[in-house]
Amino acid sequence: MKTVIQVVQHLRPGGIEIIALDLAAFAQADEKTIIISLEGDLHSAVAAWPRLKPFSEQLIFLNKQPGLRPALLLKLLRIIKKTGADAVHTHHIGPLLYAGLAARLAGIKHLIHTEHDAWHLNNSRRRLVQRRAVSLIRPILVADAQTVADNMRTFLQYKNKITIIRNGIDSEYFTPGNKIMARAFFNLPSDVQLIGCSGRMEKVKGQSVLIHALSKLPVTVHLALAGSGSTETALRTLVNLLRLNNRVHFLGHIDNMPTFYQALDLFCLPSLNEGLPLSPLEAQSCNIAALVTDVGGAKETLCPDSSQFIAADDCTSMAETLLQMLHNPSNNKPRAYVKQHGDVRLMARSYAGLRGPLVTSGECYE
């Protein structure tokens, strides 16, 4: 039995954290997965995110405080040795610095680092730190999208191989359903065309652009927003100013996401920055076409026969494209595309191939 340790900065709802949980849930039969969160504690994390509860026995929290914490390196080194880890997989720069160094000191052969976005490397300090970390630690570098790999090569001045393993979702969980029943579940109107958007309510997610786009659409088009965050109050104020109160539905945090997607006519991701987002894959797996902004690897999630992308931060173009997609829906259903190209099982097998004798089904970027 192989022991694989994944290391993340924190375990709060988000794309990286969902990927870590899915890799644990769909691990190979001969692998045991442990997830280490640098920040937080088990009780608080599970209370805030109940999805963690089934994984409780596999989770370790180190309660890291802000700032540089050299003692954390020693803690990680002891855990790696005590568990007899065969592989260490880090997600993002903090875990790479602490767990990557600890893994090298422990003599770990299979050290993998996944970069889930590269826009943060626009910051010169972060770019320098990560460039030096990669040079010193020498992990197997993975990008979750072609765009991310391209940016990593440029920003990190990296000349060796970068493996592309695209994020995946559980297509057996995200399935088509009954639209009328789904809307009734959330108390949403049944006689309108409904656009949906899910994600943290933060400026970078672009929900304000989508709300402005909605104001340009017919009154029979409504918007359902799933999620919460620091911009929620500002978004509600914007909705009031644009007199859209009856057309925008704030649903808050949702655990039953398949039902949310099943309620929609169209999904929209209006982000200003992304890595390779999961929500368009989830929506399309439920046979809901998606419109995304051309940021990060977002367009790499799309079924080319039914979904579309546009430039970011352009509410006029967004409104025009949303209206065209609502009035002329594609006859091609995107679920088959997601099952073939974006399923979590493919992702899990690809990572397993980097840790052992299996041949990876990820793409190599030279």
Side-chain angles (χ1 to χ4, degrees):
M1 179 71 71
K2 296 179 182 177
T3 298
V4 179
I5 291 179
Q6 293 190 77
V7 187
V8 297
Q9 188 70 26
H10 53 70
L11 276 172
R12 299 192 291 267
I16 293 175
E17 295 74 26
I18 290 172
I19 291 297
L21 294 180
D22 280 346
L23 286 174
F26 292 91
Q28 304 299 293
D30 65 342
E31 291 185 342
K32 171 189 175 183
T33 302
I34 297 169
I35 302 176
I36 298 176
S37 174
L38 299 187
E39 299 176 5
D41 64 88
L42 178 62
H43 178 75
S44 300
V46 172
W49 194 17
R51 182 171 177 172
L52 296 176
K53 190 171 183 180
F55 298 91
S56 295
E57 298 299 319
Q58 298 170 256
L59 305 180
I60 298 174
F61 289 81
L62 300 183
N63 199 26
K64 178 186 179 299
Q65 301 303 304
L68 187 64
R69 301 289 170 176
L72 198 62
L73 178 64
L74 297 177
K75 285 185 180 180
L76 285 161
L77 181 59
R78 286 195 291 269
I79 293 170
I80 290 170
K81 289 184 174 180
K82 182 178 180 180
T83 58
D86 299 282
V88 172
H89 182 180
T90 62
H91 302 266
H92 221 42
I93 180 62
L96 173 63
L97 288 171
Y98 287 104
L101 284 171
R104 283 297 177 227
L105 290 172
I108 296 297
K109 180 179 179 181
H110 301 293
L111 173 57
I112 300 166
H113 175 69
T114 298
E115 199 62 46
H116 295 271
D117 60 62
W119 58 270
H120 67 282
L121 294 176
N122 285 306
N123 181 293
S124 60
R125 183 175 177 275
R126 291 184 181 183
R127 186 163 61 241
L128 179 61
V129 169
Q130 186 146 345
R131 189 182 300 160
R132 290 180 174 174
V134 168
S135 177
L136 174 66
I137 299 169
R138 305 181 314 281
I140 298 171
L141 276 186
V142 176
D144 66 3
Q146 182 69 58
T147 303
V148 174
D150 292 341
N151 287 332
M152 288 170 67
R153 181 170 293 284
T154 299
F155 288 130
L156 300 180
Q157 299 177 359
Y158 193 75
K159 300 183 183 301
N160 297 323
K161 182 176 71 176
I162 298 174
T163 299
I164 299 173
I165 300 179
R166 291 186 171 85
N167 297 338
I169 56 95
D170 185 0
S171 63
E172 300 307 311
Y173 177 67
F174 292 98
T175 58
N178 184 289
K179 183 183 299 185
I180 295 175
M181 293 177 63
R183 291 192 185 185
F185 182 85
F186 292 111
N187 197 29
L188 292 166
S190 60
D191 57 348
V192 301
Q193 290 183 301
L194 188 62
I195 300 166
C197 175
S198 63
R200 293 177 293 111
M201 289 184 175
E202 305 295 338
K203 185 177 180 180
V204 71
K205 292 301 183 180
Q207 287 99 338
S208 63
V209 182
L210 178 54
I211 291 171
H212 277 290
L214 180 71
S215 71
K216 301 175 183 294
L217 297 177
V219 295
T220 54
V221 179
H222 285 216
L223 172 63
L225 295 173
S228 60
S230 65
T231 63
E232 182 173 348
T233 299
L235 292 175
R236 289 181 179 272
T237 300
L238 177 61
V239 167
N240 286 331
L241 289 172
L242 295 175
R243 298 181 180 180
L244 297 173
N245 303 71
N246 295 329
R247 296 173 56 197
V248 178
H249 309 273
F250 289 87
L251 303 182
H253 175 75
I254 292 174
D255 290 319
N256 188 358
M257 285 305 295
T259 302
F260 171 75
Y261 296 120
Q262 292 161 9
L264 307 179
D265 293 296
L266 186 63
F267 177 79
C268 182
L269 184 73
S271 297
L272 307 180
N273 277 307
E274 280 290 348
L276 191 131
L278 298 177
S279 56
L281 291 172
E282 294 170 351
Q284 292 175 106
S285 186
C286 296
N287 263 340
I288 303 301
L291 173 67
V292 306
T293 47
D294 186 10
V295 292
K299 67 182 180 183
E300 296 179 44
T301 66
L302 299 180
C303 168
D305 298 321
S306 61
S307 298
Q308 298 187 42
F309 63 90
I310 57 170
D313 204 14
D314 185 345
C315 64
T316 300
S317 177
M318 184 175 291
E320 292 172 351
T321 308
L322 287 169
L323 191 60
Q324 179 267 320
M325 294 179 73
L326 287 170
H327 284 178
N328 301 287
S330 172
N331 292 324
N332 296 298
K333 301 300 183 183
R335 177 170 168 77
Y337 178 85
V338 175
K339 285 176 68 72
Q340 184 176 357
H341 299 283
D343 189 84
V344 66
R345 295 158 187 83
L346 173 63
M347 176 185 70
R349 288 197 301 269
S350 297
Y351 276 109
L354 296 181
R355 299 191 292 264
L358 296 176
V359 178
T360 178
S361 54
E363 302 170 33
C364 291
Y365 178 84
E366 302 293 346

